[in-house]
Amino acid sequence: MINLPVFPIVIPALAAIIMMFMPKRVQLQRVMALGALVITAIVSLFLVHTVSTEGIQTLNLGNWQAPFGITLVSDMLSALLVTTSTLLTLFIVWFAVHYFSDSYEGNYLYISMLFLLVGVNGAFTTGDIFNLFVFFEVFLMSSYVLIVLGGRGVQLRESIKYLLVNIIASALFVMSVALLYGVTGTLNLADLAMKIPLVDNPDVITVIGVLFVIVFGMKGALVPLHYWLPGAYVVAPTPILAMFGALLTKVGVYSILRTYTLLFDGNGEFLQTFLMVLAVLTIFIGMTGAIAYNDVKLIIIYNIMIAVGVILYGISVNTQTSLEGSLYYLIHDMIIKAVLFMLVGMMIGITKSGQLRDMGGLITRFPLFGWTFFLAALSLAGIPPLSGFFGKLLIVSGGMDEGELFGPLLVLLSSLFVLYSVMKIFLNGFWGEAKREYDGPLVPYTKRLIVPVFLLLIIAVAYGFGAEAIHPYITQAIEPLVNPEIYIDAVIKE
């Protein structure tokens, strides 16, 4: 099906547009949002199957052949991330249906969530670096609506910081694209991959590569560009925080993965060293924050930074093994972060506080909730055979194969910090003495919310236990990154 790559973008976009004409019909919006996401998830799974059997799928919009028109490209990397994002959004919207009151839902909640998915799926699918910028703006505009949902003063304050950082990053993005176009005369990723090696002055390409890393690093919260992340994310309502933590920073990481391997890999060691240093610093700051705070949201937010650093380290090593580990860990982290953010949101909903000192004894009243958190915590820490283990193992193996020692040891050390931080939540929040009576309406509230979270955790566990079955898809996804000619030949057809 030649038009298959566009469906995961068009389906949620059409549903969101239709829903805009009925903003106050909350019940209908719930049904439409969930229905559109189920259809998109089915299409995305079919896309993965099609790419695995028929190879990279391309679509030239307006029938303008690449590199002159806008091209959508679904290789296995794109298809896997589109499928993961769609499934996560489906479960988060399901969670939001039971979490939010009608007053929240009537403020364009589901419309904004669907448009955010449009931007994310578009960023994963586009084969044109300018349209990567366009899709970034689509999901950022949606995120501006979602981050202020509720209208609390602290949300408005942090949203200003979030808005300013992204405006600066977007302006720098446009300038970087303009510089790249000025040097090469093209914006198509495959065409860029062919023309960049022909540029007479490789130092210019290195500078442009650094600019793109800074742009995507601001989006992905790399140190020292992370300063906006904790404050902006911690004030967001739980389902919104789950979407942000699972998806938004990962689009920045994906963009580095795609552009570095396809465009800037051949431009000396400086960019590789630059990426590696940023990765190490991001892991360090993430580990420090994860153990320093007693706010359950902030602990998981700083764990985002640890994961981003680990994935970026695998990208900077840039071998088949390390890239496979980065992709495997990227998908794992998207899933498990969504699970954990929803779980800590439930903890806050029950205890009426985000501080560990105000929690305790939850497991006595909510045993399924408690053990679900425990399993999610082990998965996040990378305890074998859960999903966090295999990605880190491949990243460490890839680093050691290249003669690295410090990076692999830091990645392994980060697992201990992650385990300590999430076990701190488990031991202080679920064990010990209860700080209040957890009864009455809290019981059905918790039962409704735990269902989508538990099912998503089952997917995460299956992802770990099914690592051998998943591996061929991961390998196929990495092949065009290691051998860009595969990507180029699929897009630029003679």
Side-chain angles (χ1 to χ4, degrees), residues 19-229:
M19 289 161 60
M20 288 178 71
F21 293 97
M22 50 188 80
K24 300 303 178 183
R25 299 186 65 178
V26 172
Q27 188 63 40
L28 183 58
Q29 287 203 27
R30 292 173 182 167
V31 174
M32 287 192 65
L34 289 170
L37 289 168
V38 169
I39 295 170
T40 308
I42 293 170
V43 170
S44 301
L45 290 168
F46 182 63
L47 178 61
V48 170
H49 172 73
T50 303
V51 173
S52 70
T53 55
E54 300 179 14
I56 298 174
Q57 303 293 299
T58 63
L59 173 62
N60 296 310
L61 300 180
N63 207 28
W64 284 84
Q65 295 301 309
F68 305 107
I70 297 171
T71 304
L72 299 179
V73 184
S74 288
D75 58 358
M76 186 54 74
L77 173 61
S78 167
L80 287 175
L81 293 177
V82 164
T83 302
T84 304
S85 299
T86 303
L87 286 173
L88 289 178
T89 306
L90 171 61
F91 282 98
I92 292 169
V93 169
W94 183 0
F95 181 89
V97 165
H98 299 294
Y99 182 89
F100 283 121
S101 63
D102 288 353
S103 60
Y104 274 86
E105 292 175 292
N107 286 311
Y108 302 94
L109 169 67
Y110 300 117
I111 296 168
S112 299
M113 294 174 89
L114 287 180
F115 273 125
L116 189 145
L117 180 64
V118 170
V120 169
N121 283 353
F124 289 146
T125 307
T126 184
D128 179 287
I129 199 161
F130 179 76
N131 283 287
L132 179 61
F133 163 76
V134 171
F135 282 117
F136 262 78
E137 294 307 299
V138 171
F139 72 69
L140 284 174
M141 284 189 289
S142 301
S143 71
Y144 299 151
V145 176
L146 293 170
I147 200 170
V148 298
L149 196 66
R152 293 182 295 130
V154 65
Q155 288 178 279
L156 299 175
R157 185 190 69 227
E158 292 297 333
S159 68
I160 296 298
K161 184 196 305 180
Y162 178 77
L163 182 64
L164 289 175
V165 167
N166 280 290
I167 287 173
I168 294 169
S170 296
L172 187 58
F173 197 167
V174 172
M175 289 188 283
S176 303
V177 169
L179 287 171
L180 190 59
Y181 182 77
V183 172
T184 61
T186 184
L187 295 174
N188 182 279
L189 288 170
D191 200 34
L192 282 167
M194 292 192 297
K195 291 184 176 177
I196 282 177
L198 304 177
V199 175
D200 293 333
N201 189 350
D203 292 339
V204 173
I205 299 300
T206 300
V207 171
I208 295 173
V210 170
L211 288 174
F212 275 109
V213 170
I214 292 171
V215 169
F216 299 138
M218 292 179 78
K219 309 289 188 182
L222 299 180
V223 171
L225 309 168
H226 70 288
Y227 50 88
W228 59 271
L229 178 75

Side-chain angles (χ1 to χ4, degrees), residues 282-302:
T282 303
I283 294 172
F284 265 122
I285 297 300
M287 293 190 318
T288 304
I291 65 171
Y293 287 97
N294 287 310
D295 184 296
V296 291
K297 279 187 178 181
L298 281 174
I299 291 171
I300 307 301
I301 287 169
Y302 275 98

Side-chain angles (χ1 to χ4, degrees), residues 410-483:
L410 181 62
V411 170
L412 292 175
L413 180 63
S414 71
S415 295
L416 297 178
F417 278 74
V418 170
L419 182 62
Y420 173 80
S421 67
V422 289
M423 283 296 106
K424 181 170 68 171
I425 297 176
F426 180 68
L427 294 175
N428 288 278
F430 289 93
W431 296 96
E433 183 181 349
K435 303 297 191 300
R436 55 164 293 189
E437 289 293 327
Y438 305 132
D439 213 333
L442 290 173
V443 177
Y445 163 83
T446 306
K447 287 181 177 179
R448 289 193 301 269
L449 291 177
I450 199 65
V451 174
V453 182
F454 185 76
L455 292 177
L456 188 56
L457 179 61
I458 293 300
I459 294 175
V461 172
Y463 183 60
F465 279 87
E468 187 173 349
I470 296 292
H471 190 256
Y473 295 93
I474 301 293
T475 301
Q476 186 180 352
I478 295 305
E479 284 175 355
L481 305 182
V482 178
N483 300 302

Side-chain angles (χ1 to χ4, degrees), residues 302-343:
Y302 275 98
N303 271 287
I304 293 176
M305 294 179 61
I306 297 175
V308 167
V310 169
I311 296 164
L312 187 64
Y313 176 76
I315 296 170
S316 68
V317 173
N318 197 22
T319 65
Q320 175 84 27
T321 302
S322 71
L323 291 175
E324 285 182 8
S326 289
L327 177 56
Y328 197 98
Y329 197 79
L330 174 62
I331 296 173
H332 144 79
D333 194 67
M334 291 170 72
I335 299 171
I336 208 66
K337 282 297 191 309
V339 170
L340 282 167
F341 277 124
M342 288 189 282
L343 288 171

Side-chain angles (χ1 to χ4, degrees), residues 227-414:
Y227 50 88
W228 59 271
L229 178 75
Y233 277 21
V234 78
V235 300
T238 294
I240 309 308
L241 175 57
M243 281 197 80
F244 286 7
L247 301 182
L248 296 195
T249 52
K250 306 310 186 297
V251 181
V253 172
Y254 160 80
S255 301
I256 294 175
L257 173 61
R258 177 70 80 185
T259 56
Y260 175 66
T261 56
L262 189 60
L263 306 182
F264 303 116
D265 179 30
N267 288 277
E269 295 183 358
F270 177 80
L271 196 56
Q272 182 180 28
T273 304
F274 184 58
L275 282 172
M276 200 168 288
V277 170
L278 290 181
V280 168
L281 291 174
T282 303
I283 294 172
F284 265 122
I285 297 300
M287 293 190 318
T288 304
I291 65 171
Y293 287 97
N294 287 310
D295 184 296
V296 291
K297 279 187 178 181
L298 281 174
I299 291 171
I300 307 301
I301 287 169
Y302 275 98
N303 271 287
I304 293 176
M305 294 179 61
I306 297 175
V308 167
V310 169
I311 296 164
L312 187 64
Y313 176 76
I315 296 170
S316 68
V317 173
N318 197 22
T319 65
Q320 175 84 27
T321 302
S322 71
L323 291 175
E324 285 182 8
S326 289
L327 177 56
Y328 197 98
Y329 197 79
L330 174 62
I331 296 173
H332 144 79
D333 194 67
M334 291 170 72
I335 299 171
I336 208 66
K337 282 297 191 309
V339 170
L340 282 167
F341 277 124
M342 288 189 282
L343 288 171
V344 298
M346 291 173 62
M347 293 177 70
I348 294 169
I350 293 169
T351 62
K352 309 303 180 187
S353 174
Q355 300 296 322
L356 287 175
R357 64 175 177 269
D358 299 324
M359 299 179 180
L362 287 171
I363 203 163
T364 303
R365 195 68 188 87
F366 309 101
L368 177 61
F369 178 25
W371 294 117
T372 298
F373 185 93
F374 179 71
L375 186 57
L378 294 183
S379 182
L380 180 69
I383 304 300
L386 298 172
S387 57
F389 170 73
F390 298 100
K392 281 191 177 178
L393 177 64
L394 290 170
I395 292 171
V396 168
S397 298
M400 297 188 72
D401 289 344
E402 291 297 296
E404 292 283 331
L405 184 60
F406 179 76
L409 287 176
L410 181 62
V411 170
L412 292 175
L413 180 63
S414 71

